[in-house]
Amino acid sequence: MSIRVTVWSEFRHEKESELVRSVYPDGMHTVIAAGIKERLGDDCVVTTATLDEPEHGLTEAVLAQTDVLTWWGHMAHGDVSDEIVERVYQRVLGGMGLIVLHSGHFAKVFKKLMGTSCALRWRDDDSETVWTVRPGHPITQDVPEVFQVPQQEMYGEFFDVPQPDELIFISSFAGGEVFRSGCCWSRGQGRIFYFSPGHETYPVYYQPEIRTVIGNAVRWAAPVATNVYSTQSCPNSPLGWFK
Ligand code: ZN
């Protein structure tokens, strides 16, 4: 069955900045969505949603039909309503995959899922070298052992997140900094992947290696059907085979 992917983006920089519009004329979400489709083909159905749509495009109906949600935000994290954050959070606990990209590290829902500040060190205008440190993991399929992002904002340690369940990529920068740029966690039944490359003024989401990683991550994060398991309650009811 096809993985149902919703690519969510703030879509504000593109409206307000000529520079960002020159890189992403139809919005970053359209380029991220095209990259996922390019990687997964008929294995996925991709739709997009943006902040200024009603309910940020993330209605109950949309989320119920979403296996994996990707999230890019930066300048308007505070404009995301707490009600929608709670809705996304509950869906992740219930099994929806979540791919958080770049400045999405400060998204309300990511901070809520991590339980930490998610702060990091940053600096403009550098180049990034991405090192694969977990070969054999599904997210690294067809990804080179090491590759360059020619123009990128530097994100560096300390990155205030819980220790990842699996560390997939580490990045180094011309300035000497290092960063845990590809991290996996699970929360409830949901899988979460954070991937840092992707600043809005650079054409990062057109780059083949980046598209491969995000497509792989969508496939990895897609929910697996499990037996009945409730994250909503703690029933005081013995299972039949204990009687
Ligand atoms: Zn950035």
Side-chain angles (χ1 to χ4, degrees):
M1 228 173 64
S2 288
I3 302 167
R4 299 165 300 178
V5 187
T6 301
V7 172
W8 189 90
S9 182
E10 218 172 64
F11 196 29
R12 288 271 180 91
H13 285 290
E14 297 92 327
K15 293 172 183 165
E16 298 179 13
S17 160
E18 190 69 48
L19 173 60
V20 176
R21 209 159 40 241
S22 72
V23 183
Y24 295 104
D26 299 316
M28 303 172 76
H29 51 292
T30 62
V31 177
I32 294 167
I36 292 168
K37 193 69 190 164
E38 180 182 271
R39 177 67 183 161
L40 299 183
D42 292 340
D43 291 346
C44 70
V45 176
V46 185
T47 54
T48 63
T50 55
L51 178 64
D52 293 326
E53 296 171 39
E55 301 184 52
H56 312 325
L58 300 175
T59 61
E60 295 275 8
V62 166
L63 285 179
Q65 298 288 313
T66 298
D67 296 315
V68 179
L69 176 68
T70 75
W71 193 281
W72 194 100
H74 178 232
M75 63 185 287
H77 292 310
D79 292 352
V80 178
S81 88
D82 292 339
E83 185 187 346
I84 305 299
V85 170
E86 180 66 20
R87 188 182 287 171
V88 172
Y89 174 78
Q90 292 297 339
R91 275 289 291 132
V92 172
L93 297 185
M96 182 182 73
L98 179 67
I99 313 298
V100 177
L101 298 169
H102 189 59
S103 41
H105 71 92
F106 265 161
K108 284 182 184 177
V109 71
F110 185 61
K111 289 173 24 172
K112 186 177 173 85
L113 285 159
M114 294 295 108
T116 54
S117 77
C118 300
L120 46 76
R121 184 184 302 273
W122 67 275
R123 181 167 49 69
D124 280 334
D125 196 21
D126 203 321
S127 66
E128 177 168 359
T129 305
V130 183
W131 301 82
T132 300
V133 295
R134 182 69 171 86
H137 190 280
I139 294 178
T140 68
Q141 186 182 9
D142 299 327
V143 177
E145 180 182 0
V146 56
F147 65 92
Q148 288 278 337
V149 183
Q151 264 193 307
Q152 177 61 347
E153 189 178 41
M154 185 282 291
Y155 273 12
E157 298 287 342
F158 175 60
F159 183 22
D160 184 21
V161 287
Q163 287 293 314
D165 299 339
E166 293 184 291
L167 181 59
I168 311 298
F169 302 109
I170 291 174
S171 289
S172 56
F173 294 84
E177 300 89 348
V178 295
F179 189 67
R180 290 169 290 169
S181 51
C183 302
C184 298
W185 297 268
S186 65
R187 292 290 184 270
Q189 295 172 75
R191 291 178 170 187
I192 301 164
F193 180 62
Y194 173 77
F195 189 51
S196 62
H199 187 63
E200 69 274 6
T201 57
Y202 305 131
V204 177
Y205 294 118
Y206 295 96
Q207 186 170 333
E209 295 93 338
I210 301 296
R211 292 161 89 105
T212 300
V213 169
I214 295 172
N216 288 348
V218 165
R219 187 182 278 146
W220 168 82
V224 175
T226 58
N227 291 326
V228 175
Y229 172 82
S230 172
T231 57
Q232 305 296 319
S233 64
C234 289
N236 177 9
S237 56
L239 291 171
W241 33 266
F242 279 143
K243 284 175 184 167

